[in-house]
Amino acid sequence: MILTTLIPALEANSERKFIYVEQAFFSMWYEHQTDSMQSRVKKLVREGQLHFVNGGWCMHDEGATHFIGMMDQTTLGHDFLSREFGFIPKVGWQIDPFGHSKTNALLSSKMGFDSMFVGRIDYQDLEARKRRQDIEGLWESSPIVPDVTMFWSLTGSYDGNYSPLEGFCFDTFCSDEFVVDDTESPSFNAENRANDFANAVYLQASQQKGENILLTMGSDFQFENAMENFDQYDKLIKAVNERAAENDIVDDPFGTYDNLDVFYSTPEDYARAKQEEGIQFAVKNDDFFPYYECENCMMNGYYASRSWLKKLERQSSSLLQIGRQVELLDRLDGGREEKENLRVLDEAVAVVQHHDGVSGTSKQHVADDYAAALKQGGDLAKDYIGKVLGEKMGVGTPRNAPKSGNFTVVFYNGLSSVRRGEVVRIPLEKKEGWCHEVLVGRRRERKKVQTGFQGESLYFVVDEVEGMGAVRYDAREVPCQQQQRTHDDEEEDDFPGSITWGYYKSYVAPVATSTTTDSCLGNLRTVDIEDNLKDHQTLRSSGAYLFVPSTPDELPTMFESNPIPPSNSKNFQQNIVKKVFSTHGPFINQTITT
């Protein structure tokens, strides 16, 4: 609805301008338009009325993302803009992520951005910068990488976010007073509205350096009635400029401006104007982290929110890189020229970089949708990768796990040069009395194997695989009593005394109380586990975004539910994999693997 009403509103007045950011949503609308509408859009882009900033597939997060995901999603969006409009953004627009990293500034500068606009910074930093007139400057994101210094600025009314000037939101969902410029109307208020606007501009201008000031007029879900918004801005601009030309505008109490000239613009034009003023800006060389929204309200709770989605995003991004390598190798060998092999996964990985995606701060149904898209794209990518590697290794059409009977597995090393050897787990369909042996290489060397806790998995060590190379392993089903065991006798328990992750500390007491033996499983032991978990006492529910300790220096305290009963813990041990399974009440199941 926003874009549908925007296009005729821009065409109605050539002075009007509008910026758009996230190409996942723009492309979705654009690709469903008629050829005529697409031509109208391209004309507006050529003439500079419809302008793109950031231009990635989304506005990515900066605290929970990996740099590869940030680059990939930006590349995907820029590729669309270049292909359709011949347009490459020069301005970063990160107005809603929860803090900002110099890594993102560094990557953005290397991707061609010369300025960066941000919205959320620490509330104490914000107030100090207002007092110093230091709400924009130069950002030197690396002391060793050349040519990465860029102009940065805050958006909105320097209130730590983004929005129109207070009192001048003319959207359908707002209730601010409209501008009435008909002098015959009893509601005529153009003069008063012009003076109100000038006073708001003067206040904002007093907190920054220079003669130019940027006003953002819009916010989330606004411009659904673009014609109404622009009609009001037209009237406001006309009222202010006419009175300023006649020196009939209210004076600036801060002494910054002698007069005003208000016009439609873009962040790119604004950044250029500020640089041309020759202002001696302060140089910033660190992050806008941590981000405190208020006292004891640190926005770092999202570092851990929906950890399952964060894991899925990383796995999907890794799979995407593998898919790209395999696709390239396939084409170099004269293989299939299907351009959409990885498209679904590429777009799913890109959009989940959103600052309400991988951050874990979306509503549950949205998080579920992210996961479903990643699953769909991942399945398609795996099918394609499996076909290519299967053909090259003489395996044929791949089958999905779990495995039973005889089967072949191909392992691919996606690292460029490092050779690696790792323990792998293959899901199985358990069959009583049957086990597997694994053969590798032309000499059919038997591998040391281990079956999982309940026979549901097969473990073995994959030897070194060349970088961007593949190796084939063949698993053969044999009666357990005939299985050729090549592993050593089971070793004694050698779990570490403690394992620590931040404020989570787990103490393992390996005291065997009973032992059972299975022909395939080896030894299973039940052990006593003392597992101490700690947490923070918070002032209120922290939620997905915030971490709110009761005091700034509060230390974590012990869970009341510990220690756990020995009956809730089991130890599974062989010389390839050792595991401890434990349960902590109804919410936490823990597996420690060594």
Side-chain angles (χ1 to χ4, degrees), residues 314-357:
R314 292 293 197 272
Q315 291 173 331
S316 301
S317 178
S318 177
L319 178 62
L320 179 60
Q321 313 314 314
I322 296 292
R324 288 170 176 167
Q325 294 173 7
V326 171
E327 185 177 47
L328 176 60
L329 294 173
D330 188 31
R331 293 185 179 183
L332 290 175
D333 288 345
R336 55 188 62 79
E337 289 291 334
E338 302 171 15
K339 296 183 179 180
E340 300 302 315
N341 297 318
L342 305 172
R343 184 70 182 185
V344 176
L345 180 60
D346 201 357
E347 293 183 1
V349 171
V351 78
V352 79
Q353 308 303 321
H354 190 275
H355 54 276
D356 280 319

Side-chain angles (χ1 to χ4, degrees), residues 262-392:
V262 185
F263 52 91
Y264 292 109
S265 185
T266 68
E268 185 173 334
D269 292 337
Y270 174 72
R272 186 183 305 113
K274 296 298 283 194
Q275 292 164 357
E276 290 174 353
E277 287 190 61
I279 302 169
Q280 294 297 311
F281 287 116
V283 177
K284 177 179 177 61
N285 52 29
D286 56 354
D287 300 311
F288 283 110
F289 283 126
Y291 168 42
Y292 276 82
E293 191 175 50
C294 60
E295 185 178 6
N296 288 347
C297 300
M298 184 188 293
M299 272 214 179
N300 65 356
Y302 75 95
Y303 296 169
S305 296
R306 290 199 172 94
S307 57
W308 61 269
L309 183 58
K310 289 175 168 61
K311 178 181 179 180
L312 181 58
E313 179 274 325
R314 292 293 197 272
Q315 291 173 331
S316 301
S317 178
S318 177
L319 178 62
L320 179 60
Q321 313 314 314
I322 296 292
R324 288 170 176 167
Q325 294 173 7
V326 171
E327 185 177 47
L328 176 60
L329 294 173
D330 188 31
R331 293 185 179 183
L332 290 175
D333 288 345
R336 55 188 62 79
E337 289 291 334
E338 302 171 15
K339 296 183 179 180
E340 300 302 315
N341 297 318
L342 305 172
R343 184 70 182 185
V344 176
L345 180 60
D346 201 357
E347 293 183 1
V349 171
V351 78
V352 79
Q353 308 303 321
H354 190 275
H355 54 276
D356 280 319
V358 67
S359 60
T361 55
S362 66
K363 294 183 178 180
Q364 186 59 50
H365 70 276
V366 179
D368 292 342
D369 187 62
Y370 282 128
L374 292 171
K375 176 65 166 55
Q376 180 189 19
D379 287 345
L380 293 172
K382 289 175 185 177
D383 287 344
Y384 169 68
I385 294 169
K387 288 178 182 178
V388 175
L389 294 180
E391 291 173 3
K392 295 186 181 303

